[in-house]
Amino acid sequence: MTLAPNEHLPDQDRPPDVEPPPRVRRARAMPPWWFALPALVLFAFVVLVPSIRGVYYAFTDWDGLDPSFSFVGLDNFADMVRDPDAVQAIRHTLLIAVSITVIQNALGLLLALGVNSAIKSRNLLRVFLFAPAVITPIVTAYLWRNLLSPDGAVNSLLGAVGLDGWRQDWLGSPQVALWSVVGVIVWQFAGYSMVIFLAGLQSVPKEVHEAAAIDGAGPVRRFWSVTRPLLAPALTINLMLSIIGGIKLFDQVYALTGGGPGHATDTISTLIYKDAFTLGEFGYSIALAVVLTIIVAVVSAGQYLVLSRNERAAS
């Protein structure tokens, strides 16, 4: 048994108990959440109060400049339902979010499995594959806008290898512009998903794999029955980050295509920007922002519930 300091001393030799100062006693008596109060107050003034006030403007016809405006009730939301551009932007947003989530995480998992193997250049490959994730999204977008232009490097490379039929205006064609945007985002953030999956893979005990191999399980069986359940937390994090990031996507889309050609790549975020700062329809754009917030909240909550249940079942 371990004795506390001075517990072995006779009573007459023990130092007297020192009464803590009043300031320390008051601090110990305070509930722990009091220490978070300054941050909560700052969050309320900077984020919460402006957000709640902004929701009110979604029910007005405010143009962003005129101090006088009218309360129009649900008219902005009714206009949104009748607006084909808004409906198309919502469809594009969900399509981009789902595509990015599926492709980026599948590619990230394959890359993680590859660089987790015992190859000599695995550390160099990890740095090389993760490098695009640390570049500013705007810089990445402008870089790829030049590469994907009609006379850019991508079309030149296709022509050099004899694939002239594949050359096209990657960002100017309504049929492929949206998928070009998805490809650029997957290129940038697949390494980010790889790092999270790699952390999950390295937490899997080697003894478990060795025991499964001794029992006769092949690589595919070992991955499905041993690795996959233990990767559930990493999968949950990756899916949450990619789906929320895909729904809120703005900067890469706007820098690559500006939402065009026409409205072929418009998302809810780019439409909010155009309606607010180009057309001066702040009330309508805030109504779109409210819908975007609801979509993010609903998708995030549903995804969290499903993935948490699967994670508990896998463990």
Side-chain angles (χ1 to χ4, degrees):
M1 181 178 67
T2 302
L3 296 176
N6 302 324
E7 192 173 337
H8 60 288
L9 297 175
D11 291 344
Q12 64 273 16
D13 295 335
R14 292 182 183 176
D17 294 336
V18 178
E19 186 74 15
R23 180 172 56 83
V24 176
R25 292 202 304 273
R26 285 196 300 271
R28 290 178 178 174
M30 292 170 63
W33 61 267
W34 270 87
F35 295 98
L37 187 60
L40 292 175
V41 171
L42 182 63
F43 176 79
F45 274 100
V46 175
V47 177
L48 196 58
V49 172
S51 298
I52 294 174
R53 185 175 175 82
V55 172
Y56 168 73
Y57 288 115
F59 300 92
T60 69
D61 61 355
W62 187 41
D63 63 2
L65 296 174
D66 194 343
S68 61
F69 51 84
S70 303
F71 186 80
V72 297
L74 296 174
D75 286 358
N76 286 329
F77 296 93
D79 292 341
M80 194 184 310
V81 176
R82 294 190 292 265
D83 184 359
D85 295 339
V87 174
Q88 189 181 40
I90 293 174
R91 189 167 60 246
H92 288 164
T93 300
L94 297 177
L95 180 61
I96 289 176
V98 172
S99 302
I100 290 174
T101 301
V102 173
I103 302 173
Q104 177 181 314
N105 286 289
L107 185 58
L109 179 58
L110 290 175
L111 293 175
L113 291 171
V115 298
N116 193 45
S117 57
I119 55 177
K120 290 184 179 179
S121 58
R122 62 182 181 278
N123 290 330
L124 182 62
L125 285 173
R126 291 172 187 175
V127 174
F128 178 76
L129 294 172
F130 182 69
V134 301
I135 303 174
T136 306
I138 289 293
V139 173
T140 303
Y142 280 114
L143 169 68
W144 276 100
R145 194 171 71 174
N146 289 325
L147 294 175
L148 295 173
S149 63
D151 55 350
V154 173
N155 280 339
S156 299
L157 180 63
L158 291 173
V161 298
L163 297 175
D164 294 278
W166 292 23
R167 293 161 55 99
Q168 55 186 303
D169 190 355
W170 298 96
L171 298 176
S173 169
Q175 287 74 31
V176 298
L178 189 67
W179 297 109
S180 298
V181 172
V182 171
V184 171
I185 296 165
V186 169
W187 173 85
Q188 180 166 21
F189 293 110
Y192 192 84
S193 299
M194 177 200 71
V195 170
I196 297 176
F197 280 126
L198 187 60
L201 286 173
Q202 294 186 342
S203 67
V204 179
K206 293 182 179 178
E207 295 78 8
V208 180
H209 271 288
E210 292 170 355
I214 292 173
D215 290 341
V220 176
R221 181 66 175 173
R222 288 202 300 274
F223 171 79
W224 188 256
S225 301
V226 177
T227 305
R228 184 189 59 83
L230 296 176
L231 278 181
L235 181 64
T236 300
I237 294 172
N238 265 331
L239 292 181
M240 290 288 290
L241 291 177
S242 52
I243 193 76
I244 293 173
I247 292 175
K248 297 191 304 179
L249 197 63
F250 170 76
D251 40 7
Q252 293 99 328
V253 177
Y254 202 80
L256 278 168
T257 64
H263 293 281
T265 58
D266 253 336
T267 63
I268 300 178
S269 296
T270 59
L271 200 60
I272 290 171
Y273 178 84
K274 291 178 180 178
D275 286 334
F277 297 104
T278 304
L279 303 178
E281 297 177 348
F282 268 74
Y284 182 68
S285 66
I286 294 174
L288 279 169
V290 170
V291 171
L292 177 63
T293 304
I294 293 172
I295 291 175
V296 171
V298 170
V299 171
S300 301
Q303 190 182 33
Y304 175 77
L305 290 176
V306 172
L307 293 176
S308 299
R309 186 173 56 194
N310 293 340
E311 194 175 325
R312 287 194 297 271
S315 61

